[in-house]
Amino acid sequence: SVNDLSIAERAMLAALPKAPSIFSPFKNHVKARERRDRVLKDMFERDLISKADWQAAREEPLPEKPTDDQRVQSYFAAYVLKEVTEEIGEEQIYRGYLSIESTLDLDLQRAAEAAVQKEIEAYAERHRIPLDQIEKLPQAALLAVDRRTGEIRAMAGGRSCAESQFNRAVQAVRQPGSSFKPIVYATAIEKGYTQGTLVDDTPISFENR
């Protein structure tokens, strides 16, 4: 509830709409503080808060980036929220006091995040890209599904949900690539082909009549 927020927290939220990507405390502490303090000053000058409240709010630290335990579930949590919202509507989500149980395995999720990070670091090493040059690093995604039930056990939609909320595991459109191979191989096996079957791949042409 807004009633539970401190004056500094309310000023921080009021400061964000103009440029959330610029004034986010997770991306730029200096600009975020300057913007928040400007809002606090306006509040004081308009007699909305006392001088003591103004001074105390300015001393309050900005929120820190989410911890690993908080961030690790973000892509999956957003995905679940979207699915549930489409199913029952937004009003029920925020006013229905729902308790939602998911299929996420937190240990596997941590492993998925670690695997994505490891591959990104390996890419950076191969291409001699400093890890602090984020704009030059690739994005990555990982989805772990229990093939027996179809339940999602882990989901990594990018390098970090705090950095980018676009979920590449479920939102990105990509070429099917090698995903066709199991379909082709299964069809071949059903028709009697084996690993030793020779397939004629010499050039062939058909006359158009």
Side-chain angles (χ1 to χ4, degrees):
S1 171
V2 175
N3 294 326
D4 296 329
L5 299 178
S6 68
I7 293 175
E9 289 171 335
R10 298 181 193 190
M12 182 79 262
L13 290 178
L16 285 175
K18 182 178 180 180
S21 61
I22 296 176
F23 298 122
S24 168
F26 299 157
K27 293 188 177 182
N28 193 318
H29 241 56
V30 175
K31 286 187 178 297
R33 179 177 291 278
E34 289 176 351
R35 181 71 176 171
R36 182 202 68 177
D37 289 352
R38 179 179 175 181
V39 173
L40 288 170
K41 183 180 179 182
D42 288 343
M43 293 171 70
F44 168 65
E45 291 178 346
R46 288 172 169 78
D47 294 325
L48 298 174
I49 57 176
S50 67
K51 186 174 182 179
D53 287 339
W54 173 37
Q55 293 175 337
R58 290 175 59 192
E59 297 300 320
E60 187 172 317
L62 295 177
E64 298 295 332
K65 286 185 178 181
T67 64
D68 287 340
D69 281 346
Q70 292 170 322
R71 184 172 60 246
V72 79
Q73 301 179 57
S74 297
Y75 281 115
F76 185 77
Y79 171 76
V80 170
L81 180 60
K82 177 178 178 295
E83 292 291 305
V84 176
T85 301
E86 291 178 353
E87 184 70 24
I88 67 174
E90 189 171 288
E91 184 174 352
Q92 289 295 320
I93 294 280
Y94 297 105
R95 298 186 180 183
Y97 303 99
L98 300 180
S99 175
I100 301 174
E101 296 184 7
S102 76
T103 58
L104 183 75
D105 183 316
L106 191 54
D107 289 335
L108 289 180
Q109 180 67 25
R110 291 195 180 99
E113 294 281 348
V116 168
Q117 182 62 27
K118 181 180 178 181
E119 290 305 313
I120 290 174
E121 291 177 357
Y123 177 93
E125 184 177 354
R126 289 196 304 271
H127 295 272
R128 299 180 181 179
I129 302 173
L131 290 175
D132 59 351
Q133 296 184 7
I134 297 177
E135 70 281 356
K136 295 184 178 180
L137 295 176
Q139 285 287 359
L142 186 152
L143 188 68
V145 179
D146 187 331
R147 62 182 179 83
R148 298 166 299 179
T149 63
E151 296 174 342
I152 297 175
R153 295 302 190 185
M155 176 186 290
R159 290 192 299 257
S160 165
C161 193
E163 174 193 336
S164 169
Q165 286 76 52
F166 182 70
N167 190 336
R168 293 154 189 84
V170 294
Q171 292 178 286
V173 178
R174 61 182 66 83
Q175 295 179 344
S178 295
S179 63
F180 275 120
K181 289 180 181 178
I183 300 172
V184 175
Y185 294 159
T187 303
I189 292 172
E190 287 178 352
K191 293 185 177 297
Y193 284 75
T194 69
Q195 290 180 318
T197 302
L198 295 177
V199 179
D200 186 5
D201 64 349
T202 55
I204 185 172
S205 61
F206 299 92
E207 183 179 350
N208 185 12
R209 294 183 179 179

